[in-house]
Amino acid sequence: MNLPSSFELISRWDSCTCLHGTCNNGPEGDGLCLPGSCRDDFLSVNCDKTYKKCGDFGVMLCHAHSTCYNIEGVSRCECNSGFVGNGNECVERDPCLEEPNGGCHQQATCKKISPFERRCLCNRGWTGDGEFCHPRSPCSPETTACHQNASCYLTSNFEYHCLCDLGFSGNGTWCKEDNVCLENNGGCDSLAYCTPLKPGLASGERRTCECPYFASGNGTVCHGTIAEQVMAHPNLTRLASFIKKISPENLLLYDDDDDFTFFAPSDAAMEELTNSASFIKQVAPWSELQYLDFLNFHSIYSTFTVQDLKSFDGVLFRYPTLYDGFYLYTVDANRTLKIIVNHSKFANFVETNIRTTNGIFHIIDKVLEPFLPNDNKSTFETSLQREPTFSVFYQELKRTGVLDEINEMDEFTVFVPTNGAFRNVKEITRASQLKYYVVPQFLFTPSIYDQQRVETLLGPLHQLLFTLTRTNKVSVNTALIERSDILIEGGVIHEIHELLHPVLNWCNATSIDQKWSDCVECNRNASDFNCPDGYSPFVPARIHDQCLTIDDDYMDAFGCQQLCGRAPSGHTCCAGFYGPLCEECPGGVDLPCNGHGVCFDTLSGNGTCACDPGFEGIDCSECEDRSLAPPECETTHPSCERNVSGCHDNATCEANAIGPGRCTCMPGHHGDGQWCDKNVNPCESDQFGGCDKDRASCTYPIPRVTDLRDGEPVCRCLEGFVGNGTLCLLDMLDAVSRLPALAYFYEQLAHSNDTIMTTLMENTNKSVTFFAPLSQKYTRIDFYKLVVDNQSLWLPENNADPVNLIGDRNESIQQQPLIFSITALGGNKINITTDEDGQLFANNILIVEKNIETLNGYLHITESLIALPDELSASPVPSTHKGTSDSTILIISCVTIALLVAIVAIIVILYFKSKSNGGLKLFRRSYEESDSNVSFARLSSHEDDVDTYRSLDAAKYDNPIFDDPDLM
């Protein structure tokens, strides 16, 4: 039997229509009355009809809830009150089915109470009496999920948004109490204690600020000592770790009785120092005194704000530090204060004028290096002598006596041209020309501003003009400063690669008539430039190289001509200069008004250019007809047609709206567009870019199309080798065998068949130092007298490097001469000394090449043998006897030699056995303990063997403090 579905059951149970009988319900029922179950006189399947009397006219079958009426002889059934239908069928009235929605609002639900009553209820989200409903606020407690510590905000489209109340944070449905002290210390001073209060208050009332016991203030501002505030500063955490190494009673920065100024290196500055490639770490950690000296060098007495430091007269100012005997320097660089780090570097101020109870401190972006009163800075003359590329300028200064004049000056700046700048100079240089390179004051490039004029040693009428490039490089006149701010004793050096031509802008009063000489080939001598009759060439020569001449093939060619002038008399400005100071006319003195006009020069002139027809602008460099292209205003745009812009064959031309087109080298080339060189990868040549083939990698950085120089190959030794890339070495024996200069020495070593020595030189588990001679004036070598075992000794570049600047305070802290002694494997002493020029010697033999690094130590090349074999070391004694006496001497000599060889062999055998027996441990320990005091000394990078002058730019610390992992 099929059972009805749940829906059918529910439908039938809900719609049982049996009225006066028994309903046929249940799973199989149909909701009608069971047959024969109607009560009384009721009939039909629902027992809902009965015969009713219709007045006096009989009866009629009507619905149970109806009444029969006979009206005018017609009988009919009508439903009773509260029911509706046709009389034969009547159902109870439902007022909700009448009218739209039973008369309730469209956003309401009509609920039947009785046939005569209904109730209207507004739907969810609406409110009202049911007959009228309007939207309920979404922020009502019943409709929102906002947290108890949040507020509900209604949006324009009746949506709600929960926001945590003041003093709480979260997403609105979840809010937690804020701790205002967690962010920026609640607005309290970094030294203060922040205590949070109850939420819901204004930000300044939600916490209390209290200064610690050692500081004064109201909590929002606290003043502690310099040391205390440095330790609390978030950008000085590395420096704070130094201070923690020192007992407070030993550090003056804790002292409230005096005032100090402290220059605090930032965390970035300290990190830069520790990551420096040339930074040399020491095995021994710093002592408390060494940390103290480091801090004292960055401290000076009295309180100086940045404004105070800038108020002193002069560009350069020196201050004694708390580190006795040492100074620091400040430079007023174009109204911006800087501190000199070393001979050529500057520190900038990051944060200034931080007040404390015992002074003030400033945060700087570099760690400072200590300066002695003179700091062994080279003199001007010594600096020129040590730099081969300055030799011509040095000789000219010396010949003219200008060098003596510079040496007598209290302060000076010299722009030193290299030898290459003099290559085309054939005239004798005059003293007045050389004085044009000298400025009688300190002049550092950071202090120079664009278009600045500075008078030279020639006086105020002969000034240098400085300009800044877009990358802030400095040019003097038109010469770019290639190497700048080299601090020497009493002055500053700047290296340039061009000559400076002093323009003698004051002339006699008679107006100068100037004309150009004949146009000749540019490679002629100065005497070949023939001036017109009555005219003389300007000195120094002023050459123009854009005139046209006829070459040997009778073809037009560019040539050169010299500017000439009549001999003047009186006193006024020279041609091309104007006004009381005889300033240059627009366009420059060589071509005033760019050659397209006349400048109103002389003392009474104002420098205005009267342009030729077709030209305009302050310096007559523009075309009146904008369709023409300068400089000659003869061609029309686009300027790339007919290659007016002069682009190279390997360049493309991009036309400009006005002026020449822009030339750009094609891919695979580089240059300025007027010339384009093809990129050639030197790493692909037979020379492998100069790198050590099979031992190094060669990388060629391809020049950009706008680069003016070829890319330089980068050589890096492969893994397992050491060196600078052009020479990559394994062990000491490998180094000796590969260096051509030591070919004779290596031949002697090979012929000696000394396997003990060669094994020692090949052992990469050992540390050795070897002194190999260049000279070939020997036939016997005692190799054991040239090698130092268990030590890899790197030699400083010169004696200007301070030694033991921060060492044992029981020793003198004055700079010591660089003299020390070491013991060779052969038992002899090797004394390392230096002369006044900074050259190093081993046993008075010049060390010509030092610090050649291998996997097991350093190789140093000397001019000759530093220790002779024993039989050659004593002076020969002349003999007056013959025969037996000679034989006796010979026998004794042979026995002595045999004994010495045996002794040396025994020593070497015992030495190698001692590695396993520990016989040399005590010696090693005593040596290591005696060689751990060198610290904080400026040492040049030993990657390149350069002289003192070149090493000034590479000055760095030798600072072991960063071996301490607590400080990293």
PDB file of all heavy atoms in Angstrom, residues 380 406-407 409-414 438-443 488-493:
ATOM      1  N   PHE A 380     102.310  69.626   2.316  1.00  0.00           N
ATOM      2  CA  PHE A 380     101.928  69.811   0.922  1.00  0.00           C
ATOM      3  C   PHE A 380     103.031  69.301  -0.004  1.00  0.00           C
ATOM      4  O   PHE A 380     102.769  68.567  -0.965  1.00  0.00           O
ATOM      5  CB  PHE A 380     101.636  71.287   0.669  1.00  0.00           C
ATOM      6  CG  PHE A 380     101.317  71.611  -0.758  1.00  0.00           C
ATOM      7  CD1 PHE A 380     100.216  71.050  -1.378  1.00  0.00           C
ATOM      8  CD2 PHE A 380     102.133  72.457  -1.493  1.00  0.00           C
ATOM      9  CE1 PHE A 380      99.911  71.338  -2.702  1.00  0.00           C
ATOM     10  CE2 PHE A 380     101.837  72.755  -2.817  1.00  0.00           C
ATOM     11  CZ  PHE A 380     100.728  72.188  -3.426  1.00  0.00           C
ATOM     12  N   ILE A 406     103.473  78.915  -0.587  1.00  0.00           N
ATOM     13  CA  ILE A 406     102.391  78.095  -0.048  1.00  0.00           C
ATOM     14  C   ILE A 406     102.767  77.537   1.321  1.00  0.00           C
ATOM     15  O   ILE A 406     101.951  77.505   2.253  1.00  0.00           O
ATOM     16  CB  ILE A 406     102.054  76.953  -1.022  1.00  0.00           C
ATOM     17  CG1 ILE A 406     101.491  77.515  -2.328  1.00  0.00           C
ATOM     18  CG2 ILE A 406     101.052  75.975  -0.404  1.00  0.00           C
ATOM     19  CD1 ILE A 406     101.247  76.459  -3.392  1.00  0.00           C
ATOM     20  N   ASN A 407     104.023  77.092   1.451  1.00  0.00           N
ATOM     21  CA  ASN A 407     104.472  76.520   2.727  1.00  0.00           C
ATOM     22  C   ASN A 407     104.423  77.522   3.872  1.00  0.00           C
ATOM     23  O   ASN A 407     104.359  77.131   5.045  1.00  0.00           O
ATOM     24  CB  ASN A 407     105.884  75.954   2.584  1.00  0.00           C
ATOM     25  CG  ASN A 407     105.922  74.694   1.739  1.00  0.00           C
ATOM     26  OD1 ASN A 407     104.920  73.987   1.625  1.00  0.00           O
ATOM     27  ND2 ASN A 407     107.060  74.414   1.112  1.00  0.00           N
ATOM     28  N   MET A 409     101.976  79.725   4.262  1.00  0.00           N
ATOM     29  CA  MET A 409     100.586  80.125   4.508  1.00  0.00           C
ATOM     30  C   MET A 409     100.012  79.345   5.691  1.00  0.00           C
ATOM     31  O   MET A 409     100.346  78.176   5.907  1.00  0.00           O
ATOM     32  CB  MET A 409      99.743  79.879   3.256  1.00  0.00           C
ATOM     33  CG  MET A 409     100.180  80.681   2.047  1.00  0.00           C
ATOM     34  SD  MET A 409      99.315  80.225   0.516  1.00  0.00           S
ATOM     35  CE  MET A 409      97.647  80.711   0.933  1.00  0.00           C
ATOM     36  N   ASP A 410      99.145  79.995   6.472  1.00  0.00           N
ATOM     37  CA  ASP A 410      98.488  79.337   7.610  1.00  0.00           C
ATOM     38  C   ASP A 410      97.429  78.332   7.140  1.00  0.00           C
ATOM     39  O   ASP A 410      97.229  77.301   7.769  1.00  0.00           O
ATOM     40  CB  ASP A 410      97.843  80.387   8.523  1.00  0.00           C
ATOM     41  CG  ASP A 410      98.884  81.245   9.225  1.00  0.00           C
ATOM     42  OD1 ASP A 410     100.004  80.746   9.455  1.00  0.00           O
ATOM     43  OD2 ASP A 410      98.585  82.406   9.524  1.00  0.00           O
ATOM     44  N   GLU A 411      96.722  78.673   6.084  1.00  0.00           N
ATOM     45  CA  GLU A 411      95.739  77.756   5.515  1.00  0.00           C
ATOM     46  C   GLU A 411      95.621  78.024   4.030  1.00  0.00           C
ATOM     47  O   GLU A 411      95.776  79.160   3.576  1.00  0.00           O
ATOM     48  CB  GLU A 411      94.373  77.872   6.200  1.00  0.00           C
ATOM     49  CG  GLU A 411      93.739  79.244   6.173  1.00  0.00           C
ATOM     50  CD  GLU A 411      92.408  79.279   6.912  1.00  0.00           C
ATOM     51  OE1 GLU A 411      92.414  79.129   8.142  1.00  0.00           O
ATOM     52  OE2 GLU A 411      91.375  79.454   6.238  1.00  0.00           O
ATOM     53  N   PHE A 412      95.334  76.963   3.291  1.00  0.00           N
ATOM     54  CA  PHE A 412      95.295  77.099   1.835  1.00  0.00           C
ATOM     55  C   PHE A 412      94.513  75.938   1.242  1.00  0.00           C
ATOM     56  O   PHE A 412      94.313  74.894   1.873  1.00  0.00           O
ATOM     57  CB  PHE A 412      96.706  77.130   1.245  1.00  0.00           C
ATOM     58  CG  PHE A 412      97.538  75.924   1.594  1.00  0.00           C
ATOM     59  CD1 PHE A 412      97.467  74.750   0.843  1.00  0.00           C
ATOM     60  CD2 PHE A 412      98.376  75.946   2.694  1.00  0.00           C
ATOM     61  CE1 PHE A 412      98.217  73.641   1.183  1.00  0.00           C
ATOM     62  CE2 PHE A 412      99.139  74.830   3.042  1.00  0.00           C
ATOM     63  CZ  PHE A 412      99.052  73.678   2.286  1.00  0.00           C
ATOM     64  N   THR A 413      94.078  76.133  -0.003  1.00  0.00           N
ATOM     65  CA  THR A 413      93.487  75.075  -0.819  1.00  0.00           C
ATOM     66  C   THR A 413      94.162  75.137  -2.178  1.00  0.00           C
ATOM     67  O   THR A 413      94.283  76.222  -2.767  1.00  0.00           O
ATOM     68  CB  THR A 413      91.969  75.275  -0.983  1.00  0.00           C
ATOM     69  OG1 THR A 413      91.351  75.209   0.308  1.00  0.00           O
ATOM     70  CG2 THR A 413      91.369  74.208  -1.882  1.00  0.00           C
ATOM     71  N   VAL A 414      94.622  73.996  -2.676  1.00  0.00           N
ATOM     72  CA  VAL A 414      95.319  73.944  -3.959  1.00  0.00           C
ATOM     73  C   VAL A 414      94.594  72.971  -4.882  1.00  0.00           C
ATOM     74  O   VAL A 414      94.290  71.842  -4.483  1.00  0.00           O
ATOM     75  CB  VAL A 414      96.793  73.509  -3.787  1.00  0.00           C
ATOM     76  CG1 VAL A 414      97.507  73.552  -5.140  1.00  0.00           C
ATOM     77  CG2 VAL A 414      97.508  74.412  -2.792  1.00  0.00           C
ATOM     78  N   VAL A 438      95.788  78.412  -6.360  1.00  0.00           N
ATOM     79  CA  VAL A 438      95.879  78.437  -4.902  1.00  0.00           C
ATOM     80  C   VAL A 438      94.839  79.402  -4.341  1.00  0.00           C
ATOM     81  O   VAL A 438      94.748  80.557  -4.788  1.00  0.00           O
ATOM     82  CB  VAL A 438      97.293  78.854  -4.442  1.00  0.00           C
ATOM     83  CG1 VAL A 438      97.390  78.778  -2.929  1.00  0.00           C
ATOM     84  CG2 VAL A 438      98.349  77.969  -5.091  1.00  0.00           C
ATOM     85  N   VAL A 439      94.046  78.919  -3.387  1.00  0.00           N
ATOM     86  CA  VAL A 439      93.069  79.743  -2.667  1.00  0.00           C
ATOM     87  C   VAL A 439      93.561  79.896  -1.228  1.00  0.00           C
ATOM     88  O   VAL A 439      93.849  78.886  -0.574  1.00  0.00           O
ATOM     89  CB  VAL A 439      91.674  79.092  -2.689  1.00  0.00           C
ATOM     90  CG1 VAL A 439      90.701  79.877  -1.817  1.00  0.00           C
ATOM     91  CG2 VAL A 439      91.155  78.986  -4.115  1.00  0.00           C
ATOM     92  N   PRO A 440      93.692  81.108  -0.716  1.00  0.00           N
ATOM     93  CA  PRO A 440      94.284  81.305   0.613  1.00  0.00           C
ATOM     94  C   PRO A 440      93.310  81.033   1.761  1.00  0.00           C
ATOM     95  O   PRO A 440      93.194  81.822   2.700  1.00  0.00           O
ATOM     96  CB  PRO A 440      94.726  82.771   0.574  1.00  0.00           C
ATOM     97  CG  PRO A 440      93.764  83.418  -0.348  1.00  0.00           C
ATOM     98  CD  PRO A 440      93.432  82.389  -1.394  1.00  0.00           C
ATOM     99  N   GLN A 441      92.602  79.913   1.713  1.00  0.00           N
ATOM    100  CA  GLN A 441      91.688  79.528   2.786  1.00  0.00           C
ATOM    101  C   GLN A 441      91.325  78.056   2.602  1.00  0.00           C
ATOM    102  O   GLN A 441      91.599  77.465   1.556  1.00  0.00           O
ATOM    103  CB  GLN A 441      90.399  80.366   2.751  1.00  0.00           C
ATOM    104  CG  GLN A 441      89.558  80.124   1.503  1.00  0.00           C
ATOM    105  CD  GLN A 441      88.347  81.012   1.433  1.00  0.00           C
ATOM    106  OE1 GLN A 441      88.452  82.226   1.478  1.00  0.00           O
ATOM    107  NE2 GLN A 441      87.183  80.397   1.314  1.00  0.00           N
ATOM    108  N   PHE A 442      90.730  77.469   3.648  1.00  0.00           N
ATOM    109  CA  PHE A 442      90.207  76.119   3.498  1.00  0.00           C
ATOM    110  C   PHE A 442      88.965  76.159   2.609  1.00  0.00           C
ATOM    111  O   PHE A 442      88.062  76.976   2.826  1.00  0.00           O
ATOM    112  CB  PHE A 442      89.828  75.527   4.858  1.00  0.00           C
ATOM    113  CG  PHE A 442      91.001  75.123   5.701  1.00  0.00           C
ATOM    114  CD1 PHE A 442      91.316  75.832   6.851  1.00  0.00           C
ATOM    115  CD2 PHE A 442      91.779  74.042   5.354  1.00  0.00           C
ATOM    116  CE1 PHE A 442      92.384  75.461   7.639  1.00  0.00           C
ATOM    117  CE2 PHE A 442      92.860  73.664   6.132  1.00  0.00           C
ATOM    118  CZ  PHE A 442      93.165  74.374   7.279  1.00  0.00           C
ATOM    119  N   LEU A 443      88.907  75.270   1.653  1.00  0.00           N
ATOM    120  CA  LEU A 443      87.757  75.210   0.763  1.00  0.00           C
ATOM    121  C   LEU A 443      87.415  73.736   0.533  1.00  0.00           C
ATOM    122  O   LEU A 443      88.125  73.030  -0.180  1.00  0.00           O
ATOM    123  CB  LEU A 443      88.064  75.907  -0.565  1.00  0.00           C
ATOM    124  CG  LEU A 443      86.868  76.200  -1.461  1.00  0.00           C
ATOM    125  CD1 LEU A 443      85.916  77.172  -0.781  1.00  0.00           C
ATOM    126  CD2 LEU A 443      87.324  76.782  -2.791  1.00  0.00           C
ATOM    127  N   ILE A 488      95.548  67.771   4.268  1.00  0.00           N
ATOM    128  CA  ILE A 488      96.970  67.669   4.550  1.00  0.00           C
ATOM    129  C   ILE A 488      97.312  68.685   5.620  1.00  0.00           C
ATOM    130  O   ILE A 488      96.444  69.444   6.094  1.00  0.00           O
ATOM    131  CB  ILE A 488      97.804  67.904   3.278  1.00  0.00           C
ATOM    132  CG1 ILE A 488      97.516  69.299   2.714  1.00  0.00           C
ATOM    133  CG2 ILE A 488      97.544  66.838   2.244  1.00  0.00           C
ATOM    134  CD1 ILE A 488      98.389  69.668   1.533  1.00  0.00           C
ATOM    135  N   GLU A 489      98.569  68.743   6.020  1.00  0.00           N
ATOM    136  CA  GLU A 489      98.961  69.658   7.087  1.00  0.00           C
ATOM    137  C   GLU A 489      98.806  71.098   6.601  1.00  0.00           C
ATOM    138  O   GLU A 489      99.491  71.556   5.684  1.00  0.00           O
ATOM    139  CB  GLU A 489     100.415  69.398   7.480  1.00  0.00           C
ATOM    140  CG  GLU A 489     100.871  70.222   8.671  1.00  0.00           C
ATOM    141  CD  GLU A 489     102.284  69.878   9.106  1.00  0.00           C
ATOM    142  OE1 GLU A 489     102.738  68.751   8.828  1.00  0.00           O
ATOM    143  OE2 GLU A 489     102.931  70.740   9.716  1.00  0.00           O
ATOM    144  N   GLY A 490      97.885  71.814   7.201  1.00  0.00           N
ATOM    145  CA  GLY A 490      97.688  73.221   6.884  1.00  0.00           C
ATOM    146  C   GLY A 490      96.778  73.502   5.717  1.00  0.00           C
ATOM    147  O   GLY A 490      96.513  74.670   5.433  1.00  0.00           O
ATOM    148  N   GLY A 491      96.287  72.491   5.033  1.00  0.00           N
ATOM    149  CA  GLY A 491      95.492  72.806   3.865  1.00  0.00           C
ATOM    150  C   GLY A 491      94.715  71.636   3.309  1.00  0.00           C
ATOM    151  O   GLY A 491      94.593  70.576   3.925  1.00  0.00           O
ATOM    152  N   VAL A 492      94.190  71.848   2.090  1.00  0.00           N
ATOM    153  CA  VAL A 492      93.345  70.875   1.406  1.00  0.00           C
ATOM    154  C   VAL A 492      93.812  70.781  -0.047  1.00  0.00           C
ATOM    155  O   VAL A 492      94.177  71.787  -0.657  1.00  0.00           O
ATOM    156  CB  VAL A 492      91.855  71.289   1.434  1.00  0.00           C
ATOM    157  CG1 VAL A 492      90.978  70.223   0.803  1.00  0.00           C
ATOM    158  CG2 VAL A 492      91.406  71.565   2.849  1.00  0.00           C
ATOM    159  N   ILE A 493      93.794  69.555  -0.589  1.00  0.00           N
ATOM    160  CA  ILE A 493      94.148  69.320  -1.989  1.00  0.00           C
ATOM    161  C   ILE A 493      92.920  68.811  -2.727  1.00  0.00           C
ATOM    162  O   ILE A 493      92.177  67.972  -2.212  1.00  0.00           O
ATOM    163  CB  ILE A 493      95.300  68.293  -2.110  1.00  0.00           C
ATOM    164  CG1 ILE A 493      96.634  68.930  -1.718  1.00  0.00           C
ATOM    165  CG2 ILE A 493      95.411  67.744  -3.523  1.00  0.00           C
ATOM    166  CD1 ILE A 493      97.797  67.956  -1.748  1.00  0.00           C
TER     167      ILE A 493
END
